[in-house]
Amino acid sequence: MRAKGVPRFPGGPAADPAGSHHERRIRSFQPRRSRVTAGQGNALQRLWPVWGLDIDGHRVLDLEEMFGGLPVVLEIGFGMGEATAQMAADDPGTGILAVDVHTPGQGNLLGLAERSGLSNIRVANGDAIILLREMLPPRSLDGMRVYFPDPWPKKRHHKRRLIQPAFLDLAAQRLKPGAVLHCATDWEPYAEQMLEVLSAHPDFENTQQDGGFAPRPAFRPLTRFEGQGLDKGHKVHDLLFRRAQPDA
């Protein structure tokens, strides 16, 4: 049996990159344990040293060097990575720093990137809050995407939702003025909360003149997960808020 803290794939993503047992705060995510296929495991072992990074909180990333000077968008939570890979292929002039804690998804995205010849994706393993707080310089991001985050539907768990004022404070510090934070969810109560919290934040402006939700932009692919929700009658809400220009 593998000892606690030992990575499942030597040379691949660490089991606990930032020592999460030292973090005394409420988490917006919970690690998922699921089977890694042979192909995903192979991709992790071969490609993680090239395109992967652990969120350890011990260094500040040089995004310009990492992406060869491309503008960089942070994607928080990418599932199995199909939509991320498609967006990277459709827009090779933008770098995507994709963060998740799901090992099969990390391996799957690395494999998709290799098969499609994509060099504008980097896969980060761990807590996005630590990445934003400790490892990214101020005004280093040209955009941020949070697609279908865990809605934590039970009222007692609402405090675990990612889109909260404290998260927006941190996001605003790392986004360049004019950069867009794009959220999407199929859980209507969470969508309403997102709209309320974003609209109230002084550092963000709704891109929609009516102050409401946005139509799904063409660059956001229809994911398999989203399709399943639509089949169940769920309505997907997109929110696009721009980082406001600082006061002179």
Side-chain angles (χ1 to χ4, degrees):
M1 180 179 292
R2 180 168 48 89
K4 184 178 180 181
V6 175
R8 298 168 71 181
F9 302 94
D16 190 10
S20 60
H21 51 285
H22 295 303
E23 279 286 305
R24 305 300 184 188
R25 63 178 173 79
I26 297 170
R27 292 297 184 85
S28 63
F29 65 91
Q30 50 187 349
R32 293 174 290 161
R33 304 292 178 232
S34 55
R35 179 177 175 272
V36 176
T37 67
Q40 293 161 359
N42 179 270
L44 285 167
Q45 290 183 309
R46 291 188 301 103
L47 301 174
W48 189 260
V50 182
W51 291 331
L53 65 101
D54 283 314
I55 300 172
D56 56 17
H58 294 158
R59 58 194 170 112
V60 175
L61 301 177
D62 186 337
L63 296 183
E64 185 171 352
E65 179 182 1
M66 184 180 293
F67 288 95
L70 296 178
V72 178
V73 171
L74 175 65
E75 182 175 357
I76 300 176
F78 55 79
M80 294 306 291
E82 295 98 336
T84 306
Q86 184 175 332
M87 288 187 289
D90 292 342
D91 185 11
T94 296
I96 300 178
L97 178 55
V99 183
D100 211 305
V101 295
H102 189 223
T103 310
Q106 293 166 351
N108 200 60
L109 179 54
L110 288 170
L112 289 170
E114 181 183 50
R115 290 192 293 276
S116 301
L118 303 174
S119 60
N120 57 330
I121 294 176
R122 299 295 180 272
V123 180
N125 167 53
D127 189 339
I129 298 297
I130 295 175
L131 175 68
L132 284 164
R133 191 183 65 205
E134 309 290 348
M135 299 180 68
L136 292 178
R139 300 188 181 187
S140 58
L141 295 173
D142 295 87
M144 191 179 300
R145 298 166 181 163
V146 185
Y147 296 160
F148 305 100
D150 193 328
W152 295 100
K154 295 180 180 179
K155 187 174 181 179
R156 68 176 183 273
H157 291 156
H158 286 184
K159 59 190 176 183
R160 295 184 177 273
R161 289 175 172 175
L162 180 63
I163 306 302
Q164 307 272 8
F167 170 78
L168 296 180
D169 290 343
L170 185 54
Q173 294 169 18
R174 300 299 179 251
L175 288 166
K176 297 176 182 177
V180 171
L181 169 59
H182 181 191
C183 303
T185 181
D186 68 334
W187 192 259
E188 190 155 5
Y190 195 9
E192 295 289 349
Q193 179 193 322
M194 288 181 179
L195 182 61
E196 179 181 352
V197 172
L198 278 160
S199 298
H201 199 284
D203 292 331
F204 288 95
E205 302 170 338
N206 197 334
T207 62
Q208 304 304 297
Q209 290 187 353
D210 65 359
F213 298 107
R216 180 175 69 88
F219 66 79
R220 183 175 72 76
L222 184 69
T223 67
R224 179 173 52 185
F225 171 83
E226 183 177 356
Q228 292 170 350
L230 292 171
D231 289 342
K232 296 175 183 176
H234 296 185
K235 184 177 180 180
V236 175
H237 294 86
D238 284 82
L239 303 94
L240 286 89
F241 276 72
R242 184 177 294 111
R243 172 65 169 95
Q245 296 285 341
D247 294 333

